[in-house]
Each structure stands twice: as structure tokens, then as C-alpha cells.
Amino acid sequence: MDKTSEEKIHIGLVLAGAVTAGAYTAGVLDYLFNTLFIWDEKYKEDPTTTPKPNVVIDIFTGASAGSIAAAVALIGLAKDSLKEVIDPYSKEASDNLLFDTWVNFGLKSEEEISEYLFSAADLEEGKLDALLNVEFMDHLIDKIVMKARSIEVNILPTFINPNLDVLFTLSNLKGIPIDLYFDSDKKRVAHTMSYHKAFAYFQNNKPTSDVSKLDLDLGDENSLRFFLKCARASGAFPVGLKSISFTGIPKDYINANLKRIFGEGFKFVPRVEEEYSFTAVDGGMTNNEPIAEALNVIGKEFNKNYKLIMIDPFPNFIPENPFATKDVKEDLFHIIPQLISTLRHQASFKERDISEMFDDNTDKNMIWPTRYDKNKKPLKNTIACGALSGFSGFIHKSFRVHDFMLGRKNCQSFLRYYFHLNEAQHPSASEWTSSLKDAYAFVDRHTDEIMLPIIPDFRIESKKIENNRTYFDPYINEDNTKGLVFPSIDYQKDIVPLEKLMNKRVKGIVDIAYDHLRKKDDEATVPIVKKRNELVFIKNFKIRLWRILGYTFMKTVGNRFIAKTVSNKLTNILIEELFKYKLLK
């Protein structure tokens, strides 16, 4: 490794799952990448007094919404479509691919996503793919591909490794059967387990001989569509959003990734066909924070000056004594939610990650949502898209605007006050003149060491020191930034029309569910079951008449009543959640 490479600071980005709170992740990335762009431009303008840019991003790993944010960000970087969003209500904001994807969902400014999500158009043929209508995702992907195709530029910036790795987590519903043998000659299978974690592992400029990765060519439409399809599959939240099917995945790719996961010396035998097919759902279900995968790349390949940054809109934190103020209840209404939570947390628990995370050589950093009240005390309801387990961003655009701008604000604070090295450890400390230190560095109030930023923010115009703390100006705040005031919506204006849309979709789902159950009854083959499904005291035509009348009644009255009851309950839950998060007037 040459001296220039050793002076580089290598970064791995881990983008956790977040459903619609991916808008927050998008805001963080917008500020991060534009800070790096500004640094590059300043160095080109004045290389004598500006530290040479020495940061390289080597890998993106993403789960669920994080995968979509990673994919869109990379396309935006290659296509020069990430112009900084200063005013979220300006026409120029939509030119930013991250903003247009995560805040606008690719729609026009006057359109609202709820009209598409609760549309019953996808139910007309009697098929139920998901609780929500996600046909807008097809249009969004088409829009991204069309925009990418219309821009001839296809060059990644210098702060992106030209051999960049991109990894998305997936949950494989089919699973990979793994046979275990207990005899020495391996002739008799004693036990079979099924492995359901999956990865879509891409590399830019991938060597042809490397079968463990998928080729990423942002200039090729087919490659781009497959890349976006994998990202979408990673974000296919179970039941709520449509699952994604894959065919023709090479056996060599599957086996190579199993070796990567379990190590070269694994002894089990995976049972995989030459061209593997499976259905994928949300990668966050089995691996919501792909940390070890990022560490493997930046740690093993470079092993010096590497930093891990995780962006997590929903960081998990369990109080020291979570049951101190709660009674443990053992009835099913309380046990079932705990059971679901237990299965999910255990499925995503990674023993290997834990050991690597506590390696002292690993420099770990995290950006997560923070807001403060007037007394500078942290607020609990930090992001507007956090209600309804991350689905509240589908309710109103103002929620997504706020979270995008909050992501920018939090990233600004992270770069200025937390992402730094002391002067002795900084690889380019010799390039930091006294005037640069006076403008962009600060003295740690605990160690009295001079702290130099890893990524300097050249938007800074001045700094001040109060009570031994350093403050940089200007800074993003509610007074000077549109969209950053915590939003709230109106019940009559926003919730009542939403309930009408919801009721129509729920009615369509109930009808399909009823038809499905009725068909199952008609297909019964066990004599006792068939007999139970018939009204034995009504003969011949009377049976058919009864069934027709009963079916008509259920479709016109019964199902409508059920749909109204369900949508009313869902609306009440929605109102309670929004009220709890202070999002409802």
C-alpha cells in the first residue's frame, strides 16, 4: 500500500431500516455528500490553504429503507443529481434524487401518496398482493431509470471508491436447505435446517472472476433496474408491502456468499439448484443493521484509518430495568405482541457482529434523530415518521419534509462536533494551518487536545466559545430553515378524507379474503368437512339458492360492515399514535 493510500480515511456507511423514516436517512446523506463536494471545490479553488480531500467511502450496506436510500444516493452521485436542498418547498428541491424519492415519492407537488397507497385499483382482479397498494413504486423506479438515462454523466465523485461495494440485506421466504450428516461417509441426511438470511452484494467494476458479487453498472439500464429491484425487495415490509420474486440466481453466487457468511471452512452442504429462485421480503426482518458486513470490507481490506458510520432513524435502546414500572402480564393479548417482538429480535441478533463490534480497533460512529426543547433537553418524539412503527410518513408530506431537514441538521452537528480526530492522530494534520484550526477545529474541554474534523464543513463562517464550549455559525435551526418546525395535521382536513380512502381499500381486501375462504370451503375433499359445509336439511336448488343469497348478503352488507368496523378501528389507532407523537392538532 503506497503512502497516499495510507493517508486516506476509509469509511463504511451502514444504513439501517426505517420504513418512511428513510426520509431522515436521505437528509443525512444529502448533507454528508454535499459537504464532501464543497470540500473538493474549495481544494480546487485554493489547494495551498485547503487540506487535500482524503476521505474515501468504500462500502454502503443497507437494510430495508436503508437499501433504497443507498441505491438512490449512489445513482444520484453518479448522475450529478444531488444538488443540496436548502429550501424543501422550492422547485429545485425535486431535482435532488434523494429528496424526490423519499419526500415526493416521485409524485407531483400537489399529489399525496395516501391517494395511491389506499387505492383499490390493484384489487380489481381479485388478487391481494399486500395490504397497501405499492404500484407507485413501479412508476418511481421508472422515473429514476428515465432520469438516469437522460443524463450522460456517469462518473462517481473522487470520495467514492471506484471499486465500491454495495450490500443489501434480504429475507428469503423460500430459504436454503442445509443438510447435516451424522455419519462419516455423508450418505444419510440426519437433519435439514433452512437458512433465510440473504444478501444482494454488488460491486462497481467487479472482477469477472469474482462470483461472490453481482456486477453494478450504473450506465446500463438492465443493471440499474436489477439494482433498484434488489433495493426495493430489501424494503418490502412483510404483509404491508408487496414481496419481490427473483429467478435465475447463479448457484455459484449463493455458495460463495454462504462461505462469506460462515467462513471458508464450513462443513455443511447447501441444497441449491443451478439457477435459484426465491421470494424476498424486508431485509430488516432478519438483519436490520448490517454492521459486520461493512466492517469486513473496510477493516480487512485496508486495516488502517477506517471509520464506520451507521445512520439509524430507530436505534434500539432498552432501559436498565425495563419492567421497573410495568406489571408483567401473562394473558394472550400481552403475550402475543411480546412473542412477535422476541422472534424478530432474536432473528436479527448477530453473535458474530457483537464480537467484532467490541474490537478496540473498530472506530464506530452513529447518527440518529435528536431534537431539543428550549431548555436544551432532548425530546422523545424526534422524527415525524416515527409514529405507527415508521409508517406515519405515508400519511402526510410535511412529516417527510421535516425528517429530511432534521437529517441534514443532525449530520451537520455530527460532522462539526463529533466526527473528528485529535491532532496527533489525524493523517493530514500537517496540512492544517493555524488559520484553518482557528476557523474549523476546537479544543476538547476534557482533554485539552486540538480536535481536527475528519470531514471539514466549509459552510462555517465563524465560531465562538461560551462556557468552554465551541459553537460554529451559521447552523441549521428552526428560525432559518424551512420545514424544520415539527409538523402537525388537522383531523377534519387530513384524517377524515384518509379514513374514506382506507375504508374503500379495506372493503376490497375483506371481499377478496371472503372469496378466498369460500373457495377453500368449496374445494374441501374430506367427507366430514364437505358435509359440514352443506346445510343438509335443504335439498338441491334450495342449497344453491341459499348460497347465492348468503353470498350476495355478505358482499353487499356483511363485508361492508366488517370493513367499516376495521377501518374505524385502524383510524382510531392512527389518531392515538399521531396524538401521542404530537402530530395531530
Side-chain angles (χ1 to χ4, degrees):
M1 188 179 292
D2 59 31
K3 186 175 184 296
T4 304
S5 180
E6 288 180 353
E7 291 175 349
K8 295 284 187 182
I9 293 178
H10 296 274
I11 293 177
L13 292 177
V14 179
L15 313 181
V19 197
T20 61
Y24 174 84
T25 301
V28 172
L29 294 177
D30 179 58
Y31 196 92
L32 173 64
F33 294 143
N34 277 286
T35 305
L36 289 165
F37 279 129
I38 292 170
W39 186 8
D40 276 347
E41 289 300 317
K42 187 168 179 63
Y43 180 76
K44 290 175 183 176
E45 293 171 3
D46 187 10
T48 57
T49 62
T50 305
K52 185 177 181 179
N54 66 336
V55 165
V56 177
I57 297 173
D58 296 311
I59 183 169
F60 288 84
T61 67
S64 190
S67 296
I68 299 173
V72 172
L74 191 57
I75 295 168
L77 288 170
K79 299 297 180 178
D80 193 24
S81 300
L82 293 184
K83 184 179 179 181
E84 188 166 21
V85 177
I86 305 299
D87 179 359
Y89 302 110
S90 66
K91 291 183 179 179
E92 291 76 19
S94 295
D95 294 333
N96 182 302
L97 200 57
L98 277 169
F99 185 90
D100 193 47
T101 300
W102 276 105
V103 177
N104 294 336
F105 289 128
L107 305 177
K108 297 176 182 178
S109 58
E110 67 273 11
E111 295 179 303
E112 187 51 67
I113 188 62
S114 58
E115 297 176 7
Y116 291 85
L117 282 173
F118 294 109
S119 166
D122 61 323
L123 305 177
E124 291 175 358
E125 296 182 2
K127 184 181 178 183
L128 179 62
D129 291 322
L131 294 182
L132 298 174
N133 184 343
V134 292
E135 289 181 345
F136 80 93
M137 288 290 293
D138 296 324
H139 302 301
L140 177 58
I141 288 176
D142 286 341
K143 183 178 181 179
I144 293 171
V145 172
M146 290 294 290
K147 184 169 186 175
R149 196 166 60 185
S150 67
I151 302 173
E152 294 184 3
V153 176
N154 189 36
I155 302 173
L156 289 171
T158 55
F159 55 79
I160 297 292
N161 190 325
N163 301 318
L164 177 78
D165 288 285
V166 183
L167 181 145
F168 305 144
T169 66
L170 304 169
S171 296
N172 178 353
L173 295 184
K174 177 180 178 180
I176 298 175
I178 297 175
D179 294 330
L180 301 180
Y181 300 87
F182 285 81
D183 54 336
S184 57
D185 55 2
K186 293 187 177 181
K187 291 183 178 180
R188 181 180 299 176
V189 177
H191 182 63
T192 300
M193 296 187 297
S194 186
Y195 189 74
H196 292 269
K197 288 184 181 181
F199 301 103
Y201 198 162
F202 294 86
Q203 185 178 27
N204 200 44
N205 299 319
K206 181 186 80 69
T208 306
S209 59
D210 188 352
V211 298
S212 70
K213 299 175 184 177
L214 303 166
D215 187 38
L216 176 60
D217 183 355
L218 296 176
D220 179 76
E221 183 173 335
N222 290 330
S223 177
L224 191 62
R225 283 189 178 277
F226 183 71
F227 184 54
L228 288 168
K229 179 181 179 180
C230 291
R232 179 182 176 182
S234 180
F237 194 89
V239 182
L241 306 179
K242 184 180 178 180
S243 58
I244 305 295
S245 295
F246 293 89
T247 59
I249 306 300
K251 180 179 181 178
D252 288 344
Y253 172 78
I254 301 291
N255 286 334
N257 273 277
L258 288 173
K259 286 183 180 180
R260 184 188 300 277
I261 295 164
F262 294 102
E264 290 288 337
F266 76 108
K267 302 297 183 183
F268 51 77
V269 181
R271 200 190 310 158
V272 183
E273 53 266 33
E274 289 300 323
E275 291 191 344
Y276 184 73
S277 302
F278 70 102
T279 299
V281 294
D282 196 325
M285 191 170 75
T286 53
N287 188 353
N288 199 51
E289 291 94 8
I291 300 166
E293 292 73 22
L295 289 174
N296 285 339
V297 172
I298 59 173
K300 290 183 178 179
E301 293 189 10
F302 302 100
N303 202 29
K304 184 180 179 182
N305 290 336
Y306 64 91
K307 312 290 177 186
L308 180 76
I309 301 176
M310 183 163 78
I311 304 170
D312 194 348
F314 298 124
N316 288 330
F317 174 73
I318 298 176
E320 187 174 341
N321 187 354
F323 300 109
T325 58
K326 293 183 179 180
D327 296 328
V328 179
K329 298 181 179 179
E330 298 180 350
D331 61 280
L332 278 181
F333 294 107
H334 291 85
I335 290 294
I336 290 175
Q338 292 180 50
L339 176 62
I340 295 171
S341 176
T342 299
L343 293 173
R344 187 189 182 285
H345 283 98
Q346 188 57 43
S348 59
F349 191 89
K350 297 163 285 183
E351 292 83 354
R352 184 178 171 189
D353 283 22
I354 297 297
S355 60
E356 296 196 17
M357 277 289 288
F358 284 93
D359 180 352
D360 290 338
N361 295 320
T362 303
D363 187 355
K364 303 169 290 294
N365 306 269
M366 187 165 79
I367 304 174
W368 70 93
T370 52
R371 290 195 313 121
Y372 298 89
D373 63 17
K374 294 179 180 179
N375 298 317
K376 296 184 178 181
K377 291 183 178 180
L379 293 165
K380 290 183 179 180
N381 53 324
T382 52
I383 51 176
C385 294
L388 298 168
S389 300
F391 278 84
S392 58
F394 286 135
I395 294 173
H396 206 270
K397 182 178 178 178
S398 63
F399 296 178
R400 305 188 298 273
V401 168
H402 170 270
D403 289 0
F404 185 94
M405 301 310 287
L406 181 66
R408 284 179 46 80
K409 174 179 171 60
N410 288 167
C411 185
Q412 181 185 79
S413 297
F414 171 75
L415 295 178
R416 293 182 179 184
Y417 301 108
Y418 300 98
F419 198 49
H420 48 57
L421 289 170
N422 64 46
E423 192 172 15
Q425 295 177 325
H426 205 291
S428 58
S430 60
E431 300 181 44
W432 280 77
T433 63
S434 296
S435 58
L436 280 172
K437 293 175 188 176
D438 289 341
Y440 306 106
F442 65 91
V443 176
D444 189 294
R445 62 195 187 102
H446 300 293
T447 64
D448 290 329
E449 294 176 316
I450 296 176
M451 309 305 294
L452 304 180
I454 294 173
I455 301 175
D457 188 351
F458 287 105
R459 301 178 189 82
I460 294 171
E461 297 176 2
S462 63
K463 79 175 185 180
K464 59 185 178 182
I465 300 174
E466 295 180 356
N467 299 322
N468 210 24
R469 288 180 178 270
T470 301
Y471 298 92
F472 295 103
D473 290 313
Y475 66 96
I476 296 173
N477 59 70
E478 292 183 3
D479 294 329
N480 64 16
T481 304
K482 293 181 180 179
L484 196 55
V485 174
F486 200 69
S488 62
I489 58 176
D490 183 78
Y491 170 73
Q492 288 294 338
K493 180 182 176 182
D494 300 304
I495 302 299
V496 172
L498 185 66
E499 184 177 15
K500 292 179 180 178
L501 288 171
M502 192 187 306
N503 183 63
K504 186 176 180 180
R505 181 163 184 84
V506 171
K507 172 63 166 59
I509 292 173
V510 171
D511 284 346
I512 292 174
Y514 176 72
D515 287 344
H516 176 77
L517 294 174
R518 185 169 175 267
K519 184 179 179 182
K520 284 290 184 181
D521 284 345
D522 292 341
E523 293 173 349
T525 57
V526 178
I528 296 176
V529 175
K530 291 180 69 175
K531 193 171 183 179
R532 285 172 57 84
N533 288 337
E534 295 178 358
L535 297 174
V536 293
F537 54 87
I538 301 179
K539 302 294 183 182
N540 301 326
F541 75 96
K542 291 185 179 179
I543 295 176
R544 292 192 294 273
L545 180 63
W546 177 260
R547 285 188 171 180
I548 292 171
L549 291 175
Y551 177 74
T552 303
F553 175 80
M554 282 301 298
K555 293 282 279 191
T556 56
V557 180
N559 288 1
R560 186 171 296 159
F561 173 77
I562 294 171
K564 185 69 176 177
T565 302
V566 171
S567 59
N568 180 70
K569 180 59 179 177
L570 290 174
T571 304
N572 288 342
I573 292 172
L574 186 151
I575 291 170
E576 289 173 356
E577 275 282 291
L578 296 182
F579 187 79
K580 183 174 71 175
Y581 274 76
K582 299 181 179 180
L583 292 165
L584 187 63
K585 294 177 182 177

